[in-house]
Amino acid sequence: MKRNSAIKALLLATACTVSVAAVHGQATNSGDIRGIVTDPSGAVIPDVTVTVTNTNTGVTKVLMTNKAGLYDTSSIVVGNYSLKFERSGFEIYSRPQVSLQVGISTVNAIMTVGAVSDSVVVNSDLPLLDTESGTQQTTLDAPSMQLLPNVGQDWENFAILIPGSAGLAGNTNPGQLISANGNLPYNNVLSDGSSTTLGTSSNSDVNVFETVQEVQISTSAFSAQYGIGGIIFNQISKGGTSQFHGSAYDYFQSDEFNANGNYRFNNANFEKINRYRYNNLGASIGGPIAIPILNLRHKAFFYFDYDQIINNGTASGTNDIPTPAVMSGDFTGQGLLYDPTTQTMGMDANGNPYPIRKTFLSEYGANAIPAALLDKVAVNFQKFYPTPSNHIAGGQFEPGVMQIPGVTQKNFFAQVPQQSPSRRYFGRIDYDINSKNRITGSMTQGDSPGFSPNTVTASPIGFGKYRHHPPKPPDLGCLYDQPSPHQ
């Protein structure tokens, strides 16, 4: 017995640790069913046994109506429920189908005098109209969103569909930056009731679409418990059930499916479509935590999702590349260059000093810098510039444009492979201690390294943080980390 108690205590401590993020703030990630029980004349019926059962997990909560005929489940996990009302001398009243979302839902019961063996079954679900508050809100549930066309795995694609919403000028799909009912587009994104919005930038990483059970979007008159924000996006994650369930998915895109919309005005021919290979794949599993010695049946549940993005595309760029003559110091046809070694100081009529310098043209007969005056460091850096015979694969020299006399611009175009991988993990644990106490903990971890090669040359100079020693040329580029803001 002592060993079992110790293991349960360890499980409880682990759940508490995981749920630290969930208790940050006072926002809710659960539902509440309440109501009143009366007879057909409207008289309240006290001492009615109300059995509330989560049909997904089998967790049961038994309540009694008070003297005023009222009952209240308090905080319970969102999902599908069945309710049964029983009292001696009355027919059983049943509601086998109640879809509970975040917030308060009312389920009243009218019990008729009769034998307990008789029953009245009401199969209708809860009404969509919220009569408990003046909050203007819309709930996007997973089954509905899965039927809509989705670019990528992101519920933000559907935010613009809510009533009264508008996007930013020139942005067809603003995501979470929508403005609704005249509010400014400053919004607060919650994950299981905990804010994930960064205070400094107002940015937020949303949950992986596969892990979202529903998103409740409150646009006006929402409770102060949600804090600030013109709009509240409350993401409710999926949880485990009494049966093991899993999924596997792969959202993919390819340039084989894309039309050519990339062209240049200074090129008579259409350029080829950028190579693009995108796979967003993953798998999830959830179910009961079945450890016989702990007696956790219908008490503890888990859910886990692994999500990975394999994004192999191309980075393209147009650059100004100096000609071999310019790199050797020959600026013929451009503005005159002055020899710094010939500078002397003269005086104007007002006694003010001014520099006197000779041009290279007057000194050496050409507007060119002698090799002896070229900086050695600059000469070594010039080796990384492409030439018509030596440049990275995917690059090509073009005629360019002559916006400045003697200077050719936009004369080099390149497409090089680019990688933007990403990995995200999500886990959730639910533990019903007893009929009045429950612990829910969820955690998200992500890692998004990126490899951005230089579209001019295999330059060894990069900006950002290397996760490991960079490879040798010609594969050098800029490798950076973008950790999730709510790891």
Side-chain angles (χ1 to χ4, degrees):
M1 295 296 293
K2 291 184 178 179
R3 181 183 178 185
N4 291 353
S5 299
I7 297 178
K8 287 184 178 180
L10 179 61
L11 178 62
L12 178 61
T14 303
C16 289
T17 302
V18 174
S19 62
V20 169
V23 299
H24 177 71
Q26 299 299 317
T28 182
N29 68 329
S30 58
D32 185 353
I33 301 177
R34 62 178 61 168
I36 184 171
V37 182
T38 62
D39 62 17
S41 67
V44 299
I45 306 176
D47 301 326
V48 175
T49 301
V50 184
T51 304
V52 183
T53 303
N54 187 319
T55 57
N56 297 325
T57 63
V59 174
T60 298
K61 195 169 190 176
V62 180
L63 310 167
M64 297 288 290
T65 59
N66 60 15
K67 295 181 180 180
L70 299 172
Y71 74 96
D72 190 341
T73 64
S74 297
S75 176
I76 56 178
V77 177
V78 297
N80 299 317
Y81 285 85
S82 66
L83 281 74
K84 184 167 65 173
F85 302 82
E86 299 175 280
R87 183 182 170 176
S88 178
F90 291 87
E91 296 179 351
I92 297 175
Y93 183 90
S94 299
R95 291 288 296 268
Q97 182 180 347
V98 174
S99 301
L100 179 63
Q101 298 177 344
V102 175
I104 299 172
S105 297
T106 300
V107 178
N108 296 324
I110 301 177
M111 301 184 68
T112 305
V113 176
V116 179
S117 58
D118 297 329
S119 64
V120 176
V121 179
V122 179
N123 289 313
S124 60
D125 203 344
L126 294 178
L128 297 177
L129 180 64
D130 181 12
T131 60
E132 295 292 332
S133 67
T135 304
Q136 291 181 299
Q137 62 187 23
T138 302
T139 300
L140 304 176
D141 57 65
S144 299
M145 289 189 289
Q146 288 173 350
L147 297 176
L148 297 174
N150 194 357
V151 180
Q153 198 183 172
D154 192 353
W155 59 260
E156 292 177 291
N157 293 320
F158 312 126
I160 194 65
L161 301 178
I162 68 173
S165 64
L168 303 176
N171 197 338
T172 56
N173 189 1
Q176 60 185 262
L177 297 180
I178 62 172
S179 174
N181 302 320
N183 291 332
L184 293 175
Y186 174 73
N187 307 314
N188 192 7
V189 179
L190 311 178
S191 179
D192 285 331
S194 176
S195 177
T196 64
T197 303
L198 299 178
T200 54
S201 63
S202 301
N203 294 329
S204 176
D205 276 355
V206 301
N207 290 355
V208 174
F209 183 73
E210 180 67 22
T211 68
V212 176
Q213 176 175 330
E214 65 181 52
V215 181
Q216 186 183 76
I217 306 175
S218 303
T219 59
S220 178
F222 47 81
S223 172
Q225 68 181 341
Y226 293 108
I228 61 175
I231 300 176
I232 302 297
F233 297 93
N234 195 3
Q235 307 170 103
I236 306 303
S237 64
K238 295 179 180 178
T241 63
S242 58
Q243 301 292 326
F244 286 99
H245 295 277
S247 67
Y249 54 88
D250 184 6
Y251 298 82
F252 69 93
Q253 300 178 45
S254 171
D255 58 85
E256 299 292 339
F257 306 137
N258 296 341
N260 192 341
N262 182 22
Y263 60 93
R264 311 251 319 283
F265 290 104
N266 60 338
N267 191 342
N269 300 318
F270 284 101
E271 295 172 359
K272 64 179 182 180
I273 301 175
N274 289 350
R275 183 180 185 276
Y276 191 55
R277 297 291 188 274
Y278 177 95
N279 290 83
N280 185 179
L281 52 91
S284 65
I285 186 172
I289 300 177
I291 304 178
I293 62 174
L294 297 182
N295 190 26
L296 295 179
R297 182 176 175 80
H298 298 318
K299 284 183 173 291
F301 308 90
F302 79 96
Y303 177 85
F304 177 79
D305 177 80
Y306 172 78
D307 186 86
Q308 179 176 352
I309 293 177
I310 302 174
N311 188 357
N312 295 325
T314 56
S316 60
T318 303
N319 301 275
D320 304 336
I321 303 300
T323 63
V326 170
M327 285 192 282
S328 66
D330 186 356
F331 289 83
T332 301
Q334 303 186 33
L336 290 177
L337 301 179
Y338 292 86
D339 185 354
T341 63
T342 63
Q343 179 172 308
T344 59
M345 300 301 296
M347 303 291 291
D348 60 15
N350 297 322
N352 298 318
Y354 66 94
I356 300 175
R357 296 171 296 173
K358 296 181 179 180
T359 66
F360 285 113
L361 182 62
S362 62
E363 282 285 289
Y364 304 102
N367 191 34
I369 303 173
L373 294 181
L374 293 176
D375 184 82
K376 294 182 179 179
V377 176
V379 171
N380 287 328
F381 268 107
Q382 286 181 163
K383 296 177 181 179
F384 295 106
Y385 277 109
T387 65
S389 60
N390 180 24
H391 55 76
I392 58 175
Q396 61 187 31
F397 277 88
E398 299 180 351
V401 293
M402 193 76 71
Q403 295 177 338
I404 301 175
V407 180
T408 302
Q409 296 177 303
K410 308 298 182 184
N411 60 338
F412 185 76
F413 175 81
Q415 290 183 355
V416 294
Q418 181 179 31
Q419 300 176 10
S420 300
S422 175
R423 293 177 295 273
R424 296 187 72 178
Y425 311 86
F426 175 83
R428 169 170 165 167
I429 292 178
D430 294 276
Y431 179 46
D432 287 88
I433 304 173
N434 51 47
S435 61
K436 296 183 180 179
N437 297 281
R438 173 180 56 86
I439 292 177
T440 295
S442 61
M443 183 175 66
T444 299
Q445 181 76 22
D447 180 26
S448 301
F451 184 73
S452 299
N454 196 305
T455 56
V456 176
T457 181
S459 173
I461 300 176
F463 300 93
K465 180 178 66 175
Y466 285 97
R467 294 186 59 213
H468 51 72
H469 294 292
K472 296 180 180 180
D475 297 325
L476 285 171
C478 176
L479 185 64
Y480 55 91
D481 261 338
Q482 292 181 334
S484 173
H486 56 281
Q487 289 187 19

